[in-house]
């Protein structure tokens, strides 16, 4: 058993408080009591680590946090009630009125929406495509560099060590969303990233039955965030969802291996199909960032996009409607394969800003047999573009 597998399956699960239970107990109580008033006061002053009230932390949540921190090779982790809870609290903890944020590459849509929301509090941001753009857009007031790798929808690969080195030389804090890879396939903290965020609703939860988020990094950044933004925003993770995170982690290594295998099989089929202009999957040798990905990643998940050979929204919708194994819906990372297309739900101006063509379709390859998924896609592609 390698270190990550041991963390996922056993870390913290042999301690006395577990009482030998095969599944960690779920502490449902909203508060904890103390023998003396002095003990309560001491606990409140250290509420990010002491058990006082559900909104602070809880033994079940704490176990999930310990596992996630260890997987990312970080000192501390803080779990939230949603991925956006983690992202918004993390960004808020690092900026003040008058500050500026650099956003490198395409990022999750609601993250951009939150940055726009912060404008009314005097926090501005600039989207750039590469480090040359960062050099041009950086200001004296820039405090934070935010990015994803692989990036949102386009799945472009960032050279993490290069980017974080650039940020460190300029005194910026770097925050990266690592949801796509999970901590098994990529460990950004070891490449210089200051804080890593995840949506736990995706591969880590793995069963489309929870919503959660986490931020992981050094104690010097996590502690003030835990005592302030976490407490004040109230996006606390429930112990029930923390138990689902723990159960999801137990099977994460096995599931990610299967997702990788099936995802690459489907992506390879699509990459050779005449009805498809391009496939955005970093695991394909044809991907522009493949060499960098091979250097900094230990594997590939099964979320990627393809660009159909069409400029018609109607043809994109017809393709999606013809699919039978792929269910139509948002999110990703569970057993079920999912399909979605920004052109059907995103304003044209927003798509243009993000560089998303009409024919882009996002696939989340689940754990169904790859041959069944490939057959499904092949039938749906009949009549698309050059095959019409």
């Amino acid at each position: 058993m390698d270190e990550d597998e041991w963390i996922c399956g056993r870390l913290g699960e042999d301690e006395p408080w577990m009482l030998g239970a095969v599944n960690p107990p779920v502490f449902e109580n909203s508060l904890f009591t103390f023998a003396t008033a002095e003990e309560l006061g001491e606990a409140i002053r250290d509420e990010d680590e002491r058990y006082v009230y559900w909104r602070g932390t809880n033994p079940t949540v704490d176990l999930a946090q310990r596992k996630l921190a260890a997987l990312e090779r970080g000192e501390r982790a803080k779990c939230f009630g949603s991925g956006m809870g983690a992202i918004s609290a993390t960004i808020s903890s690092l900026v003040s009125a008058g500050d500026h944020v650099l956003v490198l590459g395409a990022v999750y849509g609601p993250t951009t929406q939150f940055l726009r929301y912060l404008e009314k509090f005097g926090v501005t941001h600039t989207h750039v495509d590469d480090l040359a753009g960062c050099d041009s857009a950086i200001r004296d007031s820039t405090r934070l560099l935010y990015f994803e790798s692989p990036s949102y929808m386009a799945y472009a690969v960032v050279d993490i060590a290069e980017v974080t080195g650039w940020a460190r030389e300029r005194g910026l804090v770097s925050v990266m969303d690592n949801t796509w890879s999970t901590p098994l396939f990529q460990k950004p903290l070891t490449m210089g990233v200051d804080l890593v965020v995840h949506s736990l609703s995706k591969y880590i939860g793995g069963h489309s039955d929870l919503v959660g988020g986490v931020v992981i990094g050094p104690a010097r950044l996590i502690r003030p965030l835990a005592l302030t933004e976490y407490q004040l925003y109230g996006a606390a993770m429930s112990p029930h969802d923390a138990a689902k995170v723990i159960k999801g982690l137990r099977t994460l290594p096995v599931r990610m291996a299967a997702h990788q295998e099936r995802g690459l099989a489907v992506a390879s089929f699509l990459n050779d199909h005449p009805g498809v202009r391009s496939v955005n999957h970093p695991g394909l040798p044809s991907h522009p960032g493949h060499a960098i990905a091979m250097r900094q990643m230990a594997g590939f998940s099964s979320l990627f996009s393809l660009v159909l050979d069409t400029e018609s929204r109607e043809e994109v919708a017809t393709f999606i409607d013809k699919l039978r194994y792929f269910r139509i819906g948002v999110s990703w990372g569970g057993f079920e394969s999912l399909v979605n297309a920004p052109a059907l739900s995103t304003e044209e101006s927003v798509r243009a800003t993000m560089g998303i063509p009409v024919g882009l379709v996002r696939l989340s390859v689940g754990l169904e047999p790859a041959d069944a998924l490939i057959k499904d896609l092949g039938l749906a592609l009949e009549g698309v573009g050059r095959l019409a």
Side-chain angles (χ1 to χ4, degrees):
M1 182 182 293
D2 70 13
E3 183 178 4
D4 283 348
E5 289 178 337
W6 180 82
I7 292 168
C8 287
R10 295 297 297 274
L11 186 145
E13 298 197 21
D14 296 322
E15 297 179 1
W17 68 274
M18 292 279 292
L19 301 176
V22 67
N23 292 318
V26 179
F27 284 75
E28 295 184 306
N29 47 294
S30 61
L31 62 94
F32 296 80
T33 59
F34 298 84
T36 67
E38 183 177 358
E39 288 181 15
L40 172 60
E42 290 175 354
I44 289 175
R45 287 189 290 272
D46 196 24
E47 196 169 352
D48 67 318
E49 295 191 36
R50 297 285 298 276
Y51 306 132
V52 178
Y53 187 62
W54 184 329
R55 189 163 56 106
T57 191
N58 164 288
T60 313
V61 177
D62 191 45
L63 178 57
Q65 291 174 164
R66 290 170 56 197
K67 286 176 175 286
L68 291 165
L71 275 178
E72 279 283 10
R73 307 299 189 261
E75 286 185 313
R76 294 281 304 278
K78 199 65 185 173
C79 285
F80 289 75
S82 69
M84 276 310 300
I87 290 169
S88 59
T90 299
I91 293 174
S92 298
S93 73
L94 299 170
V95 296
S96 302
D99 287 346
H100 175 250
V101 178
L102 275 176
V103 182
L104 176 61
V107 299
Y108 182 46
T111 302
T112 299
Q113 292 175 19
F114 179 71
L115 288 167
R116 290 174 179 165
Y117 174 79
L118 287 181
E119 290 175 358
K120 73 177 185 178
F121 300 106
V123 176
T124 58
H125 68 281
T126 304
H127 283 267
V128 296
D129 295 326
D130 49 31
L131 279 183
C134 289
D135 283 326
S136 300
I138 193 171
R139 308 173 186 175
D140 291 340
S141 59
T142 305
R143 299 288 177 266
L144 170 63
L145 176 67
Y146 189 98
F147 66 103
E148 299 180 13
S149 184
S151 66
Y152 181 66
M153 288 292 179
Y155 307 105
V157 176
V158 172
D159 187 324
I160 297 173
E162 181 183 25
V163 166
T164 57
W166 180 93
R168 196 179 309 110
E169 288 174 1
R170 290 155 181 79
L172 308 184
V173 176
S174 57
V175 178
M176 180 183 148
D177 188 328
N178 194 35
T179 307
W180 191 93
S181 296
T182 80
L184 295 183
F185 287 164
Q186 188 166 251
K187 300 186 187 300
L189 295 178
T190 67
M191 292 177 266
V193 171
D194 292 307
L195 290 171
V196 170
V197 293
H198 286 270
S199 168
L200 300 174
S201 317
K202 310 303 192 286
Y203 290 116
I204 290 176
H207 297 86
S208 302
D209 61 355
L210 79 95
V211 173
V214 67
V215 55
I216 306 165
R220 63 180 177 82
L221 295 176
I222 298 295
R223 179 174 169 80
L225 182 159
L227 290 172
T228 306
E229 284 78 15
Y230 184 87
Q231 291 274 7
L232 295 179
Y233 288 4
M237 171 167 278
S238 77
H240 306 88
D241 283 339
K244 291 179 180 179
V245 170
I246 293 166
K247 288 182 180 180
L249 287 172
R250 288 178 170 182
T251 60
L252 185 64
V254 176
R255 288 187 290 106
M256 292 311 297
H259 278 299
Q260 175 175 238
E261 177 187 6
R262 289 159 172 75
L264 282 170
V266 172
S268 297
F269 162 77
L270 292 168
N271 203 42
D272 295 329
H273 198 285
V276 177
R277 290 181 184 172
S278 61
V279 177
N280 303 312
H281 190 307
L284 295 176
S286 58
H287 189 281
H290 181 69
I292 298 173
M294 292 296 290
R295 185 174 72 243
Q296 66 188 21
M297 300 170 69
F300 303 96
S301 74
S302 61
L303 181 75
F304 63 94
S305 62
L306 62 136
V307 180
L308 297 173
D309 186 25
T310 182
E311 300 297 332
S312 166
R313 293 177 71 258
E314 291 72 22
E315 199 163 16
V316 172
T318 298
F319 165 75
I320 289 175
D321 289 343
K322 288 169 68 176
L323 291 167
R324 291 295 173 262
Y325 270 89
F326 285 85
R327 301 185 185 185
I328 304 170
V330 299
S331 198
W332 39 275
F335 169 86
E336 67 284 353
S337 292
L338 294 167
V339 61
N340 193 9
L344 306 180
S345 59
T346 306
E347 293 181 13
E348 185 175 352
S349 60
V350 175
R351 284 194 297 102
T353 300
M354 298 176 65
I356 296 176
V358 171
L360 187 141
V361 174
R362 188 182 75 178
L363 297 180
S364 172
V365 175
L367 297 177
E368 302 96 338
D371 57 352
L373 300 175
I374 288 170
K375 182 179 179 180
D376 193 27
L377 288 163
L379 292 172
L381 282 167
E382 292 179 359
V384 173
R386 285 168 287 177
L387 297 183

